[in-house]
Amino acid sequence: MLRRDPQDRHYAFYRALCGHEVRRQFGSVLRVARGEFGPECEACQEARDREDARARGWDLVGADPKGKADYRIYCHADGCGALSRITRGNMVTGRFTCPGCGAGWSTEPSYLYAMRFELQPGKHAVKLGYSRIPESRLNYQLHRDPELPRELLCKVPMRTGRHAQRIEKRAHKWLATQHPGMELPHSEFAAYLRVKSEVYRAELEPVILRLLDRIARKEARAATKSFARQRSRSKRMRDS
């Protein structure tokens, strides 16, 4: 504590561990001392928000004009330049769409992925899905406990999120037909994961990885053909 706030007897100024000076209510400091939540520094949080935004190709503009603590105003600096009101959490995970150019999960490149989760010691489960940022799904969105052992086994590039969604549905349909009864009941993983379906028994992991490998080879061939067609069209246009 540095000094009391002469304007409000309920507040004082403190030196945070990071070295910045912060103004806090006495009650809030007591709650931090009891471990109810961690100490926060506005200057350090703003610096983190700026770094998170730049990692996604956006710039932090300022606080939310509606006063919501979890929202910020950002500018799509590496895109169309549009301004958007986005939650800090969604900026970290990338789960938002630009209102100006429409860049988002459906139009941007995506991935199919396979992830392994250790639900209990010696009991694993495999999740097959799609995401624009599989690492974000793994680290922030799927688990209920951040200490849950988990691993990203494989990811296959897809040209768009919509295409990834279509291929993923075909993959689940194939697995249900060829390997019935291998999908885990929701009751067996509900306490660990924030999804309701499309989680498989550990025995199916090699099958899923082989399936993703086949899909990857097919996508690579399609991309090669598409590139060749584009080069051919460009050559015809130059010759004409």
Side-chain angles (χ1 to χ4, degrees):
M1 179 177 173
L2 300 175
R3 63 189 182 278
R4 290 178 177 270
D5 185 346
Q7 304 298 323
D8 192 326
R9 64 187 181 88
H10 298 292
Y11 284 81
F13 292 92
Y14 298 84
R15 179 75 64 193
L17 291 177
C18 59
H20 292 117
E21 183 176 306
V22 297
R23 177 178 178 270
R24 291 290 183 270
Q25 194 175 36
F26 291 121
S28 296
V29 175
L30 288 175
R31 292 176 64 189
V32 171
R34 291 196 295 263
E36 295 180 14
F37 59 86
E40 294 183 352
C41 169
E42 288 83 357
C44 291
Q45 182 61 61
E46 181 173 347
R48 287 194 294 271
D49 289 343
R50 291 190 183 279
E51 291 177 3
D52 292 338
R54 286 309 308 155
R56 300 289 178 202
W58 290 66
D59 282 341
L60 175 66
V61 175
D64 177 35
K66 297 183 180 180
K68 294 285 187 178
D70 289 340
Y71 282 82
R72 296 286 186 272
I73 299 299
Y74 298 92
C75 172
H76 195 183
D78 292 354
C80 63
L83 296 179
S84 184
R85 178 175 177 263
I86 304 170
T87 67
R88 290 157 52 191
N90 282 348
M91 180 57 69
V92 170
T93 61
R95 299 187 67 186
F96 61 89
T97 299
C98 177
C101 60
W105 76 268
S106 63
T107 58
E108 291 190 345
S110 188
Y111 297 89
L112 293 185
Y113 65 76
M115 298 174 183
R116 180 195 298 139
F117 295 90
E118 186 176 358
L119 304 183
Q120 297 174 7
K123 181 181 179 180
H124 295 81
V126 181
K127 175 76 174 80
L128 171 63
Y130 75 94
S131 174
R132 187 158 55 110
I133 312 170
E135 292 80 5
S136 175
R137 289 284 284 167
L138 180 72
N139 294 321
Y140 299 106
Q141 299 162 17
L142 290 179
H143 61 76
R144 295 188 182 277
D145 179 0
E147 300 301 320
L148 183 71
R150 57 197 185 273
E151 179 183 357
L152 177 61
L153 300 173
C154 174
K155 62 179 185 179
V156 177
M158 297 278 114
R159 57 181 180 267
T160 66
R162 189 71 68 190
H163 179 62
Q165 183 185 54
R166 183 166 55 250
I167 299 301
E168 184 225 24
K169 288 183 177 180
R170 293 178 186 172
H172 287 302
K173 184 177 180 180
W174 183 86
L175 289 171
T177 301
Q178 300 297 320
H179 301 275
M182 295 300 289
E183 186 173 355
L184 274 176
H186 182 249
S187 59
E188 293 190 26
F189 61 85
Y192 309 97
L193 302 177
R194 300 179 184 275
V195 294
K196 295 183 178 181
S197 61
E198 299 170 348
V199 177
Y200 298 92
R201 301 186 186 279
E203 296 87 339
L204 208 61
E205 180 179 310
V207 175
I208 291 175
L209 292 179
R210 287 195 298 270
L211 173 60
L212 289 179
D213 184 60
R214 291 198 300 271
I215 293 173
R217 293 198 301 268
K218 183 177 180 180
E219 291 295 314
R221 290 194 298 269
T224 300
K225 291 180 181 178
S226 177
F227 179 71
R229 287 195 297 269
Q230 291 177 2
R231 289 190 61 182
S232 178
R233 283 198 296 268
S234 298
K235 184 177 183 302
R236 289 197 300 269
M237 291 179 64
R238 290 195 302 268
D239 293 343
S240 61

